[in-house]
Amino acid sequence: MNKVVCDGYTLCYTDQGEGEPVVLLHGFCGSSGYWEQLVPLLSGSYRCIVPDLRGHGSSDAPLGKYSIEQMADDVLKLLDELNLPKATMLGHSMGGYVTLSFAQRYAARLNGFGLIHSTGYADDEASKEKRLKAVSTIQSEGVTAFIDGLIPGLFAPDTAKSQPELIEKAKEIGYLTPPQGAAGAALAMRERPDRRDVISASALPVLLVAGENDRVAPPEKVFSADRPNITKATIQGAGHMSMMEAPEKLARVILRFLEQTASNRDL
């Protein structure tokens, strides 16, 4: 993997393909490995830049509380290091929260952005309590036990039955998350603000992708706004992990969005 230093911490990333840059941001306790099946479907036409976010994968995991804003700033520094004035940013789950923070503060650096199984809503009180329980489990039982409890619920029930190897792959990725990284990111998500207004007010092209059987971010939470610049898509049969469950379907949605975005800029 490639490396760049952000605020004294190392951020690792992959960089594949040529053309307009597309940044793919993974979810909680994931890594760039989440996009492994999708990148080959996009990189024939686009340059795919896929970081391991702060506290995840091969990137550094500093001690202490994280913020979604810090993670977004890390991605900004990565774009600066790569001399990329603009990119399209697509974030899965937690990566979507990072994408919204970036779009709110650095819209001029984006050609468009999208949420993949993510939402502009803040955590409600029940969700905030779950974040604290997650941190407690990570600290008392370790990352492996936490991941074993987390990952199966991210996939559609049918996927769990027909492709159990995908669950094992996601678990293997999750096991590599440093405990302080998992805990720091959980607290960052707990404290994030409601950013539905970023979606509804943006003049940029926006892509919202939901999984038909997503129990984490159901379609009604993903589709929080409806405007001409917003493209909505539901991946049939998928849960929270369409980049692994249905990479070809997700790739078709993303490629259509990227082509439309480029065409509109050319008008």
Side-chain angles (χ1 to χ4, degrees):
M1 295 188 80
N2 303 299
K3 297 180 180 180
V4 64
V5 177
C6 301
D7 289 337
Y9 301 111
T10 298
L11 192 75
C12 295
Y13 66 97
T14 63
D15 188 348
Q16 298 180 51
E18 295 181 359
E20 287 197 13
V22 178
V23 179
L24 302 172
L25 304 181
H26 64 79
F28 178 53
C29 288
S31 76
S32 53
Y34 270 11
W35 303 101
E36 206 170 72
Q37 296 179 71
L38 189 75
V39 167
L41 302 175
L42 303 180
S43 59
S45 304
Y46 296 91
R47 180 181 177 183
C48 296
I49 298 158
V50 193
D52 288 350
L53 292 170
R54 176 183 293 238
H56 292 73
S58 299
S59 291
D60 283 350
L63 293 170
K65 190 175 177 181
Y66 298 1
S67 72
I68 295 298
E69 287 68 38
Q70 279 180 324
M71 294 181 178
D73 288 347
D74 289 343
V75 179
L76 177 67
K77 291 184 177 70
L78 173 59
L79 294 183
D80 287 345
E81 286 290 327
L82 295 175
N83 294 314
L84 294 174
K86 286 197 173 191
T88 300
M89 189 172 295
L90 305 173
H92 167 245
S93 198
M94 180 187 75
Y97 310 151
V98 177
T99 298
L100 286 177
S101 174
F102 193 103
Q104 183 178 48
R105 296 178 296 133
Y106 310 121
R109 301 295 297 271
L110 294 174
N111 289 318
F113 66 92
L115 306 186
I116 314 293
H117 311 303
S118 190
T119 180
Y121 285 90
D123 274 0
D124 59 21
E125 289 307 312
S127 297
K128 286 184 176 182
E129 187 60 31
K130 284 182 182 177
R131 303 291 189 199
L132 295 180
K133 287 181 180 177
V135 172
S136 177
T137 300
I138 292 162
Q139 292 175 340
S140 62
E141 300 178 33
V143 165
T144 298
F146 175 69
I147 292 296
D148 285 342
L150 172 71
I151 294 298
L154 302 183
F155 290 83
D158 286 348
T159 304
K161 293 176 185 175
S162 63
Q163 295 178 281
E165 70 278 5
L166 295 182
I167 292 178
E168 293 308 309
K169 171 69 173 176
K171 283 184 178 181
E172 291 297 328
I173 291 170
Y175 293 153
L176 298 176
T177 311
Q180 70 272 23
L187 295 176
M189 291 188 291
R190 185 178 188 271
E191 298 301 323
R192 78 184 190 280
D194 188 300
R195 286 196 167 102
R196 282 175 289 167
D197 61 322
V198 178
I199 301 170
S200 62
S202 179
L204 292 166
V206 178
L207 175 64
L208 302 177
V209 177
E212 179 188 22
N213 299 316
D214 191 340
R215 293 167 285 177
V216 179
E220 62 268 22
K221 291 195 74 174
V222 177
F223 302 141
S224 63
D226 190 5
R227 296 180 65 212
N229 63 313
I230 296 175
T231 300
K232 300 178 183 179
T234 300
I235 307 296
Q236 299 300 315
H240 195 61
M241 300 287 285
S242 67
M243 72 288 299
M244 296 178 75
E245 295 175 271
E248 292 86 3
K249 291 180 182 177
L250 179 59
R252 284 196 292 271
V253 168
I254 291 174
L255 288 169
R256 264 199 310 270
F257 173 72
L258 293 171
E259 288 162 7
Q260 289 169 357
T261 300
S263 296
N264 290 341
R265 284 202 307 276
D266 293 338
L267 293 176

